[in-house]
Amino acid sequence: MRLSTITCLIAPAFLSSVNALTSFEYLQITKNFADAFMPSNSSDLVADLNAKSALFAEDVRGSVDIVGNIDGRQYSTDFLFGLFLGAAQNPSVPSPVGIPISYNVTAAAVEHNTVSAGIKFELEYPILNTTYPIELEVFLTINDQKEITQYDLIFRRWAWATDTIIPQLTPYMAKMLGMSNDNSTLTLHQFMAFASCTQTMTYCKDGSAQYSTIAECLASASALPTGEFYRVGENNLACRAVHASMLQLNPATYCPAMSASGGSFCVERDYTTTIREDHFTQGFLAPKYVTPENKKLVQDIWASSDVKQLSALLDVSMSGQDVHSWDPTFYATMTFVYFVFYYFFAKATDFMFGRFNNAYQELPRELQKNVTMYFMTIVFTAIALALQLVGSPGFKGEWYYWEFRCVRLAGVLTVALYLFELIFRFNMRLPLVAHHILTIFAISLGVTTNEYTQNPTFMLSGIIWLFQATTEQPTFIGLMGYRLKWKKETVALILKISSIQTFVFKAASALALLVYWGLHQNFNYNSIDLVWSVFVWIIAIGLFITQIWGSYVTYIIGVNILKKRPGPPIRLESNDSSNIDLEKGQDEGSEQSSGTVTPVEVPTLGYDGKLMVDKSFAMSKTISSSGSTAVDG
Ligand SMILES: *[C@@H]1O[C@H](CO)[C@@H](O)[C@H](O)[C@H]1NC(C)=O
Ligand SMILES: *[C@@H]1O[C@H](CO)[C@@H](O)[C@H](O)[C@H]1NC(C)=O
Ligand SMILES: *[C@@H]1O[C@H](CO)[C@@H](O)[C@H](O)[C@H]1NC(C)=O
Ligand SMILES: *[C@@H]1O[C@H](CO)[C@@H](O)[C@H](O)[C@H]1NC(C)=O
């Protein structure tokens, strides 16, 4: 599986140097973030916590509604994940903070580098032998190194949660302190003073010491208000209680929070100032790429009552998600790269045949083009076939994005090849032109339908259908052999077998396509479903008819090759105006049992597109003489 993934993605990845994260990766990082809250089974909780700091950028800016601003990688890690450390280490203490044991991401929207998610955590309260849910609303921005650069966390309905949970804990607090349980306000106050001071005396020693005795600490703490659990960044006991868990991580930094003044952590805050403050450099509305070049332009983008219209830059920045393959202004970078690649591949093929194959050298230019095209078709349809098979686990209901990419790549290689052939060879027969154009249309429709409906069954239809185009290699090997004057018995055999093989494969593919449609796609939710239903029949039947004809032609060529029917010699003019007596050349060759082309057989060469050899040559001569005008037309 891994290997096939790599194989499949290597071509595009090799050529595309843009290393942007996908929406899926942003979501994955969001999950990693939620995972970091889960309890660790590691014996070294502190080391484990430090490993989690890799989630954040060094200069991360954060804000938590119930606390305040939390900036920097270390403080963010210590606060967000250390908050739950105390409860996990001392399950018998009736801590108001529970232990997160599971979560579900219940909402998520990814736009560019910004994620907005709702995460419901289940918090365990061992002493109550129960769990309570809490919901976290999360806004994140993430950089290309997969680090969180900004986070804005909102504890949703947290006041309600603490109103519900804490009264259940106070009897246990009273019990632990040896108090009577008749005044819960008092109990809570005493308990938090006691809990904070116990931790302070344990971890804040020597240089970090805040008090010389626990009595001194309790006296100081008791003078503080209990505070509210939804305002734990202020100068109260609630603030000290949540910071107590972090003392063990870095006493020098966090012990000042436990002092009477609260250090820089537990301070007086003003509601109005706090809400009006604009803490984030980018906001959660800005474009995907904030680069040194556009930073000035984009950092102040927001929607406001001051302006009637949204910023045009927002339109630009959000457009990335609305550009689809069916958009006529979409620049399909890689498709054009494939064309350029085919161009050079054709040149190289022509050069190699011209250099090393005598039969090829003797062919007129138009037929050389045909042979080049046969060769390219064999190579690239084989690659497309491999890609299709890689995508086939979908038939078992195993969906992976790389399967879609493999099948799409198979489609784009085939379409680009056919289009290239239409341009490369002027004189293709009408049925073959129709076949190619229908194929291009069919693949485009399949990709578009899949993209629009996000229904994976359309990918499977694509796989079934692509067999039409990707199982023709034997035919082209036969035709190539025919042109390159291989042993005529061999060529005849290949052509006869391949005519039967293609007929069987194509009949099976067309039938399977219709059966699959009947089983899985015979519905009508969107207008595109109707379009698909109509065209699946047209495509299946239309292409099958051209294929019956193709197989028949292949078979006839195979049969005729062995018939000795010398016709009158025809003289042909090639593009370079030197006269080649084709018939004479073949008379010589026929003695060594190479393929013989007679005027009777030539018209049947459907795949060559050369109904009449002399007529075609007249045509190519016209084209070459009229130069670029004919090509442009
Ligand atoms: C922690 O759990 C994971 C998965 O359950 C396990 O692979 C790992 O060995 C455990 N580590 C310790 C220290 O128990
Ligand atoms: C997550 O969702 C599952 C299925 O709905 C549910 O059983 C579970 O309790 C949920 N867990 C949390 C933490 O919400
Ligand atoms: C905890 O609750 C479960 C069911 O909710 C119960 O089976 C179990 O005995 C309880 N444990 C204790 C220690 O009360
Ligand atoms: C409970 O204790 C608080 C603080 O000591 C006090 O203000 C309040 O009056 C007490 N309430 C009752 C009902 O005794």
Side-chain angles (χ1 to χ4, degrees), residues 124-266:
E124 185 180 26
Y125 289 85
I127 209 154
L128 301 177
N129 190 23
T130 189
T131 63
Y132 282 102
I134 60 152
E135 187 170 4
L136 202 57
E137 282 176 39
V138 180
F139 285 97
L140 304 174
T141 59
I142 294 162
N143 65 18
D144 285 355
Q145 288 73 49
K146 303 190 176 182
E147 295 167 336
I148 295 168
T149 50
Q150 299 186 146
Y151 61 87
D152 189 2
L153 308 184
I154 301 142
F155 280 79
R156 198 176 190 191
R157 302 193 187 99
W158 179 240
W160 193 0
T162 50
D163 283 352
T164 306
I165 297 165
I166 290 176
Q168 301 193 53
L169 290 168
T170 46
Y172 295 94
M173 294 174 180
K175 199 169 146 199
M176 194 172 165
L177 297 174
M179 299 166 65
S180 70
N181 186 37
D182 32 0
N183 189 336
S184 61
T185 314
L186 185 64
T187 305
L188 183 62
H189 187 262
Q190 299 286 64
F191 172 81
M192 294 211 309
F194 173 76
S196 311
C197 284
T198 316
Q199 296 286 87
T200 307
M201 298 321 287
T202 309
Y203 295 109
C204 302
K205 293 178 174 155
D206 308 326
S208 313
Q210 305 296 319
Y211 307 98
S212 43
T213 62
I214 190 159
E216 195 186 316
C217 178
L218 285 170
S220 163
S222 300
L224 291 165
T226 308
E228 307 286 356
F229 267 88
Y230 50 86
R231 287 165 68 181
V232 297
E234 295 176 47
N235 194 12
N236 54 30
L237 279 177
C239 179
R240 284 164 180 80
V242 297
H243 281 83
S245 287
M246 298 159 59
L247 299 179
Q248 55 186 310
L249 300 173
N250 191 339
T253 306
Y254 302 119
C255 282
M258 313 311 281
S259 70
S261 69
S264 60
F265 302 97
C266 301

Side-chain angles (χ1 to χ4, degrees), residues 20 79 108 159 168 181 242 279 339 391 509 565 579:
F79 187 90
Q168 301 193 53
N181 186 37
V242 297
H279 183 57
F339 278 120
S509 158
R565 245 197 294 163
N579 292 339

Side-chain angles (χ1 to χ4, degrees), residues 5-19:
T5 315
I6 291 163
T7 318
C8 200
L9 306 182
I10 208 145
F14 187 68
L15 289 156
S16 60
S17 57
V18 179
N19 183 31

